[in-house]
Amino acid sequence: MISKRRSFITGIKGKKLSKKEVFFLKKYKPWGVILFSRNISTITQTQKLTSDIKKIFNDKNYPILIDEEGGRVSRLSKFIDNSIFSAEFFGNTYKNNKKKFFIYYDIYIKQISYLLHLLGININNVPVLDVCRKETHKVIGNRSFSSDPYLVSELGKICINKFHENRIATVIKHIPGHGLSKYDTHKNLPIVRENISYLNKVDFYPFKKQKSLLAMTAHIIFSSIDEKNTATHSTKVINIIKKKIGFKNLIMSDDISMRALKFSISKNTTKAFNAGCDLVLHCNGKYNEMLIVAKNSPLLNTFVKKKTSQLLNIIR
């Protein structure tokens, strides 16, 4: 029952569910589960893992997410070598030869989608819509399509549409834009000082008019909007995402355990919900942290249930 689920997405520790994790999933009923390389060794093993998760919820369409961006962010590297197929590669191909781009990108997304379906995964955390600069931290780097916000926007739309055609849902990230960050948010808190007018024209632009069902926040302070809170924890920034950028679907936090967020796991979770995030993401599979996130996550509200039902129109 969707109505019994809670508004968080959890990671798990290993390649199969432990007894504690089975208990946890049954008791706290997260909205979804995210997989990483640590959870994946063979096709058969991954199929059993996703099947076991779905059986707990008696839902063949239960949300299972992954970061399969291509380039250096590839959780499926044991099965497929996507190392040359970064977002930057496709951005450059599009600029230089559109015909070649559409042939390559169509085949690429069909192959990724086929493998995700084979493994029982139905949501891919792409596209990255951050606008790259020379000073952008390498944690983004070639994960970005381009330094041109219009090109990033266009390729984002193509990416989303192609994955939807192949029955895979998407997550645009890192809303409202990570391209001005000079730090890795896994380790440090970046502060972006550009004014709203500039941000709206450049960094916010690629996220406008995108049809992805989900968007992932940036753990970045935009000081011209909110001097104290990261986007994930800022009511002001979340309101801009909903009104100025116009994103009307599910807003999920980036990983709530990243060091850019300076509070306890409990406070990081509640502040994200209070700011307006619909879902909170927790990735590391540490059981004690998972419990804290679960206990501080509300049951799905009417809006999240409605959007979750819309997810079925994409993935089934």
Side-chain angles (χ1 to χ4, degrees):
M1 290 280 291
I2 289 176
S3 60
K4 300 288 187 182
R5 294 180 196 171
R6 292 185 177 271
S7 300
F8 73 102
I9 298 162
T10 191
I12 55 173
K13 201 68 181 173
K15 295 177 174 60
K16 61 181 181 179
L17 294 175
S18 67
K19 289 181 180 179
K20 280 199 304 187
E21 287 168 340
V22 171
F23 168 81
F24 176 86
L25 294 178
K26 286 180 176 178
K27 181 176 174 72
Y28 294 106
K29 298 179 172 58
W31 183 87
V33 170
I34 184 167
L35 300 184
F36 292 89
S37 299
R38 68 175 184 264
N39 306 123
I40 294 167
S41 60
T42 68
I43 288 174
T44 303
Q45 167 270 323
T46 311
Q47 287 173 328
K48 184 175 189 323
L49 176 60
T50 57
S51 175
D52 287 347
I53 293 167
K54 291 173 184 178
K55 281 176 185 173
I56 287 171
F57 297 94
N58 192 26
D59 183 358
K60 65 180 181 179
N61 297 306
Y62 179 77
I64 298 183
L65 302 84
I66 199 165
D67 297 301
E68 185 53 44
E69 297 177 13
R72 58 197 162 82
V73 179
S74 174
R75 313 302 186 201
L76 303 180
S77 57
K78 293 183 178 74
F79 314 131
I80 190 167
D81 182 4
N82 283 332
S83 54
I84 70 163
F85 296 121
S86 65
E88 182 184 61
F89 169 87
F90 286 115
N92 288 335
T93 306
Y94 184 85
K95 280 192 294 185
N96 296 325
N97 187 331
K98 284 189 176 60
K99 184 177 179 182
K100 180 179 176 181
F101 164 81
F102 280 107
I103 292 169
Y104 274 44
Y105 208 44
D106 189 58
I107 294 170
Y108 170 78
I109 289 183
K110 280 179 178 172
Q111 289 291 96
I112 297 301
S113 300
Y114 170 80
L115 190 49
L116 293 178
H117 283 299
L118 182 68
L119 297 170
I121 298 163
N122 46 31
I123 302 175
N124 193 10
N125 295 337
V126 294
V128 174
L129 298 182
D130 304 319
V131 179
C132 195
R133 280 86 158 176
K134 287 180 182 176
E135 66 269 23
T136 301
H137 191 276
K138 62 184 180 181
V139 74
I140 299 298
N142 67 1
R143 296 167 67 194
S144 167
F145 287 117
S146 175
S147 59
D148 177 351
Y150 301 99
L151 181 57
V152 174
S153 173
E154 182 61 25
L155 294 190
K157 288 176 180 144
I158 294 167
C159 176
I160 293 162
N161 288 338
K162 284 189 176 294
F163 271 115
H164 284 188
E165 286 170 7
N166 286 278
R167 298 185 299 109
I168 297 291
T170 58
V171 182
I172 55 176
K173 59 188 187 186
H174 306 81
I175 203 166
H178 209 300
L180 285 168
S181 169
K182 296 177 183 178
Y183 296 103
D184 178 354
T185 51
H186 293 86
K187 300 174 183 176
N188 296 293
L189 171 60
I191 299 175
V192 168
R193 305 188 189 279
E194 273 72 8
N195 62 49
I196 299 176
S197 176
Y198 174 85
L199 292 168
N200 195 46
K201 289 176 186 172
V202 183
D203 290 84
F204 296 178
Y205 180 81
F207 294 94
K208 297 175 182 179
K209 298 180 181 177
Q210 298 289 359
K211 294 180 179 178
S212 182
L213 189 71
L214 297 109
M216 181 187 291
T217 60
H219 293 332
I220 293 173
I221 287 179
F222 294 89
S223 61
S224 62
I225 303 167
D226 188 332
E227 292 183 341
K228 294 181 179 179
N229 297 296
T230 66
T232 305
H233 286 162
S234 173
T235 304
K236 293 175 182 176
V237 176
I238 299 291
N239 282 340
I240 284 173
I241 290 170
K242 291 178 178 178
K243 293 173 184 175
K244 186 165 276 190
I245 293 175
F247 185 75
K248 303 297 184 187
N249 293 324
L250 294 173
I251 298 172
M252 60 185 272
S253 76
D254 202 345
D255 182 7
I256 217 74
S257 66
M258 287 161 66
R259 291 180 188 169
L261 302 183
K262 300 301 184 183
F263 305 100
S264 65
I265 293 293
S266 172
K267 196 166 184 182
N268 282 343
T269 301
T270 55
K271 278 177 71 71
F273 286 122
N274 290 340
C277 288
D278 302 297
L279 300 166
V280 158
L281 174 67
H282 180 261
C283 293
N284 62 29
K286 293 180 180 178
Y287 193 75
N288 289 343
E289 291 186 13
M290 290 162 62
L291 285 172
I292 294 168
V293 173
K295 289 174 183 178
N296 285 279
S297 296
L299 293 171
L300 303 190
N301 60 32
T302 303
F303 175 74
V304 179
K305 283 189 272 191
K306 176 185 173 185
K307 293 298 175 180
T308 305
S309 295
Q310 290 177 12
L311 176 71
L312 297 178
N313 296 330
I314 299 168
I315 64 174
R316 67 182 174 191

